[in-house]
Amino acid sequence: MNGADSVRLAVLGSGKGSNFVAIAEACKTGQIPARIALVVSDVSEAGILARARERQLSAFNLSPGKFRTKLDETAEEELIGQLQKARVDFVLLAGFMRILKGKFLKVFEGRVVNIHPSLLPAFPGLEAWKQALDYGVKVTGCTVHFVDQGVDTGPIIAQRTVPVLEEDTAISLHERIQRKEQELYPQVVRGLVRGDIRVSGRTTYWKNAPPGAEV
Ligand code: GRF
């Protein structure tokens, strides 16, 4: 990294890109002192690619290869190469539906973060908002965490709570969680870019917690 203004981010997603948009807006206003150098999706028609192109950002459609939940070796090499070519400092996962491990995490060690729609370690994996509703919890939320070799298991950076209402459906609950995600993710990325977050073992420490943060 060569100073705060030139920190370069990549955002990886497979879906509509609402978290990407929140991060892109925060870069534009200066809340996050960084630029988005590359947006990657494994789904050619994903909204995130369209949202990136609308903003004249580099958007790359990655062919994931033969597996359903991970990248094959060629795809992993291609992804690493594209991110290195774009001189990316941090890799932000925002609904990227492929598990990243091994070589990828080695190359970008300590620089890959993810947002998950539950209060981890509760409800890892798919459709976490639905898992929470089906379980009957009264409070759920979202978590930003570093990515390690497991699924949704890395050190937690920040969390926000969302109450589960009696009248909630999976859709209404997911929408409220996503609104919280869009507040939280840019705050965490700002902290990362400014070098405010330190990790020791499983615990992360904030130098300057964002206002009102439950970190
Ligand atoms: C978010 O809810 C995130 O928590 C999950 O995938 C969803 C992505 O949504 N991992 P979007 O593409 O950012 O709108």
Side-chain angles (χ1 to χ4, degrees), residues 19-32 36 55 186:
N19 281 286
F20 157 71
V21 169
I23 291 165
E25 289 302 311
C27 289
K28 208 164 133 191
T29 62
Q31 185 201 349
I32 300 174
I36 297 178
R55 289 172 168 74

Side-chain angles (χ1 to χ4, degrees), residues 3-207:
D5 282 344
S6 54
V7 172
R8 298 169 70 84
L9 309 173
V11 185
L12 275 55
S14 308
K16 64 182 193 296
S18 63
N19 281 286
F20 157 71
V21 169
I23 291 165
E25 289 302 311
C27 289
K28 208 164 133 191
T29 62
Q31 185 201 349
I32 300 174
R35 70 183 61 178
I36 297 178
L38 188 62
V39 176
V40 179
S41 182
D42 57 322
V43 179
S44 59
E45 66 277 14
I48 189 171
L49 289 178
R51 301 288 85 74
R53 290 183 182 124
E54 279 164 18
R55 289 172 168 74
Q56 276 81 49
L57 294 171
S58 300
F60 175 66
N61 177 212
L62 177 73
S63 296
K66 57 182 182 277
F67 302 114
R68 206 171 46 84
T69 57
K70 61 178 185 176
L71 301 174
D72 69 13
E73 215 181 306
T74 315
E76 187 188 48
E77 288 294 338
E78 172 76 7
L79 179 59
I80 292 170
Q82 290 288 340
L83 295 173
Q84 286 178 330
K85 201 169 91 190
R87 292 179 288 113
V88 157
D89 298 301
F90 292 102
V91 179
L92 313 174
L93 307 184
F96 190 60
M97 299 305 281
R98 305 271 166 179
I99 297 164
L100 296 168
K101 29 178 76 195
K103 181 162 183 207
F104 185 92
L105 294 181
K106 218 176 165 138
V107 172
F108 295 100
E109 198 181 345
R111 298 190 287 143
V112 186
V113 298
N114 181 44
I115 186 148
H116 182 76
S118 75
L119 294 175
L120 290 170
F123 313 125
L126 296 176
E127 298 191 321
W129 62 92
K130 195 164 175 301
Q131 294 184 51
L133 196 64
D134 291 348
Y135 196 91
V137 294
K138 299 295 185 195
V139 178
T140 184
C142 54
T143 302
V144 180
H145 62 94
F146 285 107
V147 175
D148 67 6
Q149 299 283 344
V151 176
D152 303 323
T153 52
I156 289 172
I157 305 172
Q159 296 183 298
R160 289 290 180 278
T161 56
V162 173
V164 181
L165 307 178
E166 287 180 3
E167 62 272 25
D168 260 332
T169 61
I171 291 172
S172 65
L173 181 57
H174 191 205
E175 271 172 11
R176 282 207 319 291
I177 294 171
Q178 284 214 306
R179 283 205 291 277
K180 279 280 179 195
E181 290 182 341
Q182 291 152 26
E183 284 169 28
L184 180 63
Y185 214 175
Q187 290 181 350
V188 171
V189 176
R190 174 182 162 83
L192 277 175
V193 165
R194 289 163 44 109
D196 284 349
I197 298 163
R198 183 172 64 79
V199 58
S200 170
R202 285 211 52 85
T203 308
T204 61
Y205 300 88
W206 283 75
K207 227 190 268 170

